[in-house]
Amino acid sequence: MLPSLTLRAGTHTRVLDRPLIMGVLNVTPDSFSDGGRFDSLTDALAHGRDMVAAGADIIDVGGESTRPGSPGVPLEVELQRVVPLLKALRAALDVPLSIDTSKPEVMREAVVAGASMINDVNALRAPGALRAAIESDAAVCLMHMRGVPRSMQERPEYRDVVEEVEEFLSARAQAVLVGGVAPERIVLDPGFGFGKTLEHNRALFRALPRFAALGYPLMVGVSRKAMIGSLLGDRPVDERMIGSVTAALLAVQAGAHIVRVHDVRETADALAIHAALGLPSVSEE
Ligand code: 7PJ
């Protein structure tokens, strides 16, 4: 049996001898003016508390939609959405908070407001992002994305998707290490749905043991994604829960250390069954 990896995020340390659940807390209202409203802050805080009560180990706060086709939001809007919420969550909860952003200014302000993980779907490639991460004490999740959200699903092509994603993640981890970030602060994620067809996503999922073998904590986010809808024959987003929970469980069995999910209680139950049966994950073999 391999020794467990350790994750360090700010003042938090987690030995990854069991999978962690990251609960998704999006604050991306349709209307711009909604973001800073008191009631949306209260609702988001309540949702964060509920997710922790249901078994979330990390809360991932996002103020910019990265769904396919999304145009992005201005810096000030993103800051208004996430900073007050992070402060409120930090005061109320004891779990590591993650900021889902690609903007260096948001990374810096989020860390000051209480985030101890930077979750960047762009893997710190924006100018200044690598520096912002290096100069913080936060953990960093480096995710693979081909292209940009606005156009990433327009006919993505790879020579060998598994090999290319693996090379990319290794290179980004190396860049962060060279900057002086400790390996325990680095998390990798193949980025399901980010510039990938269903066939690419299937190949990446089957290759999860290979990604886990890179030696860093492995994050998987498939919750409610189009991939789940397609695998179930075009299911609408509100009918993807069981498929998402199943995929999260299978990801853990294949070596994922962190699963990023919307349905925390249901995922926690699935992982509790896995643990109670004493079943190993690939990374423990
Ligand atoms: C992911 C993410 C993911 C990481 C989103 C959605 C799209 N961060 N942020 N991995 N997905 N690390 O939740 O459908 O897969 S936003």
Side-chain angles (χ1 to χ4, degrees):
M1 188 166 136
L2 295 169
S4 295
L5 295 172
T6 297
L7 173 66
R8 278 206 291 124
T11 59
H12 302 272
T13 300
R14 296 287 181 275
V15 177
L16 299 174
D17 53 3
R18 64 170 181 92
L20 302 184
I21 295 177
M22 171 184 268
V24 178
L25 188 51
N26 277 328
V27 270
T28 50
D30 297 317
S31 139
F32 272 35
S33 58
D34 238 28
R37 258 175 43 195
F38 177 70
D39 54 347
S40 66
L41 179 66
T42 309
D43 288 351
L45 177 60
H47 187 50
R49 283 181 190 274
D50 289 348
M51 287 196 290
V52 170
D57 301 288
I58 305 170
I59 298 294
D60 188 39
V61 172
E64 173 180 46
S65 176
T66 47
R67 294 172 56 77
S70 297
V73 295
L75 172 63
E76 287 307 319
V77 175
E78 196 177 335
L79 285 172
Q80 277 169 25
R81 288 176 182 172
V82 301
V83 168
L85 177 58
L86 284 165
K87 287 182 180 165
L89 289 166
R90 153 119 113 187
L93 299 169
D94 203 24
V95 300
L97 305 175
S98 162
I99 178 70
D100 189 340
T101 191
S102 296
K103 295 189 182 78
E105 299 88 346
V106 177
M107 293 172 188
R108 289 183 193 274
E109 301 235 4
V111 168
V112 171
S116 55
M117 180 182 286
I118 294 167
N119 173 28
D120 184 3
V121 299
N122 199 34
L124 306 176
R125 288 178 294 170
L130 185 59
R131 182 120 308 271
I134 288 167
E135 289 174 4
S136 78
D137 62 354
V140 293
C141 180
L142 304 169
M143 198 199 79
H144 176 275
M145 171 170 62
R146 163 68 51 89
V148 292
R150 197 168 1 89
S151 57
M152 65 189 177
Q153 291 306 97
E154 292 166 10
R155 302 212 285 141
E157 282 179 35
Y158 297 82
R159 170 179 44 80
D160 178 332
V161 67
V162 172
E163 202 172 282
E164 284 174 66
V165 169
E166 190 174 36
E167 278 168 15
F168 174 87
L169 294 177
S170 299
R172 294 312 294 158
Q174 196 58 32
V176 172
L177 280 174
V178 166
V181 172
E184 299 78 36
R185 282 173 55 199
I186 300 174
V187 176
L188 303 181
D189 184 334
F192 287 96
F194 284 82
K196 283 116 183 164
T197 64
L198 178 60
E199 286 316 304
H200 295 142
N201 288 322
R202 293 176 70 234
L204 290 170
F205 204 99
R206 292 193 299 266
L208 287 175
R210 204 166 135 183
F211 293 117
L214 291 172
Y216 297 96
L218 179 64
M219 171 129 61
V220 167
V222 289
S223 181
R224 299 185 186 172
K225 285 187 179 173
M227 168 188 178
I228 302 294
S230 303
L231 291 172
L232 293 173
D234 268 329
R235 259 329 156 71
V237 69
D238 59 345
E239 294 174 27
R240 295 177 188 166
M241 191 266 281
I242 294 175
S244 298
V245 171
T246 303
L249 173 61
L250 292 170
V252 163
Q253 277 203 309
H257 301 90
I258 307 173
V259 284
R260 181 181 178 278
V261 307
H262 300 85
D263 301 292
V264 171
R265 183 176 302 283
E266 293 80 2
T267 306
D269 273 2
L271 298 185
I273 296 292
H274 180 261
L277 290 172
L279 294 170
S281 59
V282 163
S283 58
E284 290 169 325
E285 281 169 358

